[in-house]
């Protein structure tokens, strides 16, 4: 299992959820778990040429219609987080920290509590993502990279989105204020800024649940910045294209999840 965790931690975030789930059975592994491990290894072998790439024109985060303030100056730094709920007592949660169009940090783990609602699960995962995001901001500044203004945090839960921006406690949060307090403080200090996006644009879904193949490949492309050179060429070609040529290029970009 350790041989699978190593690439999942360093270079292949697309298998992080599977590796994390498989690792939870280490103490009581059986024949089915061995088969799952072989499946993951087979996937890695089949896609051995894939890896995270960085660079290119900074792209708008998924689910947003425009770039947040200072987004280009910050190298496209943003956090996208999500949590599943309802299928297990301790649901899987995940987050991705993106920089220069590629993932520089990610996590796929079970949350450390048994939430009573999807709101509590989202709050727990957002708190974990916020801590990691603050650490990344400090590392970038120590490397003399620009970090201007708050870092966008993208989530798809409206109750969490409303609660993290509301002053004080509410009926929903007063018994669970501790996990949310860190994110609230980061928002108040302009370290983080929350954004609400649609579920279809939630790239972190790839870290929390099994996905249909097309959705998996679309989120994998965004997270690992696959085919960055080809995408940049198509985007530059759109500037001078028109008519049927432009429509064909746009369909190619849409099909590739760009």
């Amino acid at each position: 299992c350790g041989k699978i965790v190593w690439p999942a931690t360093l270079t292949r975030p697309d298998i992080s959820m599977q590796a994390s789930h498989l690792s939870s059975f280490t103490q009581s592994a059986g024949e089915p778990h061995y088969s799952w491990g072989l499946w993951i290894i087979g996937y890695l072998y089949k896609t051995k040429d894939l890896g995270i790439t960085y660079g290119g024109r900074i792209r708008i985060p998924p689910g947003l219609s425009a770039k947040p303030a200072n987004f280009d100056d910050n190298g496209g730094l943003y956090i996208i987080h999500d949590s599943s709920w309802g299928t297990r007592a301790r649901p899987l949660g995940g987050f991705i920290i993106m920089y220069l169009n590629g993932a520089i940090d990610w996590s796929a783990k079970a949350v450390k509590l048994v939430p009573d609602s999807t709101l509590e699960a989202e709050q727990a995962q957002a708190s974990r993502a916020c801590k990691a995001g603050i650490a990344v901001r400090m590392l970038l500044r120590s490397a003399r990279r620009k970090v201007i203004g708050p870092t966008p945090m993208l989530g798809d839960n409206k109750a969490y989105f409303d609660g993290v921006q509301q002053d004080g406690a509410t009926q929903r949060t007063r018994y669970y204020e501790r996990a949310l307090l860190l994110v609230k403080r980061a928002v108040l200090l302009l370290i983080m800024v929350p954004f609400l996006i649609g579920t279809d644009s939630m790239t972190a879904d790839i870290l929390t649940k099994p996905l249909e193949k097309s959705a998996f490949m679309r989120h994998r492309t965004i997270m690992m910045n696959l085919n960055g050179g080809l995408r940049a060429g198509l985007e530059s070609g759109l500037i001078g294209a028109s008519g049927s040529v432009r429509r064909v290029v746009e369909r190619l970009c849409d099909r590739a999840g760009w």
Side-chain angles (χ1 to χ4, degrees):
C1 191
K3 295 183 182 296
I4 297 174
V5 172
W6 183 80
T9 304
L10 296 179
T11 61
R12 296 298 299 267
D14 51 328
I15 65 165
S16 290
M17 187 270 290
Q18 291 81 2
S20 176
H21 185 61
L22 184 61
S23 298
S24 66
F25 296 98
T26 302
Q27 300 296 326
S28 58
E31 189 66 29
H33 309 102
Y34 178 72
S35 299
W36 296 346
L38 291 179
W39 182 90
I40 297 174
I41 293 172
Y43 168 76
L44 287 174
Y45 180 78
K46 186 177 180 180
T47 59
K48 59 185 177 182
D49 294 329
L50 295 184
I52 304 173
T53 58
Y54 301 95
R57 188 176 66 179
I58 300 299
R59 301 196 308 274
I60 299 173
L64 301 184
S65 58
K67 295 178 180 178
N70 304 311
F71 194 65
D72 286 338
D73 292 332
N74 291 334
L77 178 65
Y78 71 91
I79 305 168
I80 185 164
H81 59 86
D82 190 38
S83 176
S84 59
W85 185 75
T87 57
R88 49 192 290 180
R90 292 178 56 200
L92 282 171
F95 68 81
I96 310 163
I97 301 179
M98 299 287 291
Y99 185 68
L100 297 177
N101 293 328
I104 59 171
D105 191 17
W106 57 87
S107 172
K109 299 179 180 178
V111 299
K112 294 184 177 180
L113 75 159
V114 180
D116 291 332
S117 66
T118 181
L119 171 60
E120 291 187 4
E122 293 281 355
Q123 288 175 349
Q125 190 56 41
S127 182
R128 179 181 286 174
C130 184
K131 293 176 186 177
I134 292 173
V136 167
R137 285 169 58 95
M138 294 173 65
L139 287 173
L140 289 174
R141 281 178 170 159
S142 69
R144 298 184 179 180
R145 300 290 181 178
K146 284 185 179 181
V147 181
I148 305 172
T151 299
M153 287 186 66
L154 280 59
D156 61 357
N157 186 280
K158 190 175 187 306
Y160 158 78
F161 176 76
D162 293 338
V164 76
Q165 300 179 92
Q166 186 173 2
D167 294 334
T170 66
Q171 185 69 25
R172 275 185 163 184
T173 64
R174 60 179 178 172
Y175 298 118
Y176 195 66
E177 188 70 14
R178 196 171 187 182
L180 189 60
L181 186 60
L182 173 69
V183 190
K184 276 191 171 185
R185 181 169 175 80
V187 171
L188 288 172
L189 295 178
L190 299 181
I191 299 174
M192 301 290 170
V193 56
F195 286 89
L196 181 65
I197 63 174
T199 302
D200 292 340
S201 302
M202 177 46 66
T203 304
D205 270 349
I206 198 173
L207 302 177
T208 63
K209 60 179 74 70
L211 297 175
E212 187 267 331
K213 184 177 180 179
S214 62
F216 176 85
M217 295 181 68
R218 175 164 50 88
H219 294 320
R220 184 184 68 180
T221 298
I222 294 172
M223 179 170 56
M224 300 176 67
N225 192 27
L226 301 180
N227 304 314
L230 176 60
R231 178 174 56 252
L234 288 173
E235 289 175 346
S236 63
L238 279 174
I239 298 175
S242 61
S244 60
V245 175
R246 184 180 184 89
R247 289 193 294 272
V248 169
V249 175
E250 287 176 343
R251 283 200 296 270
L252 286 172
C253 292
D254 290 341
R255 183 170 294 182
W258 299 340

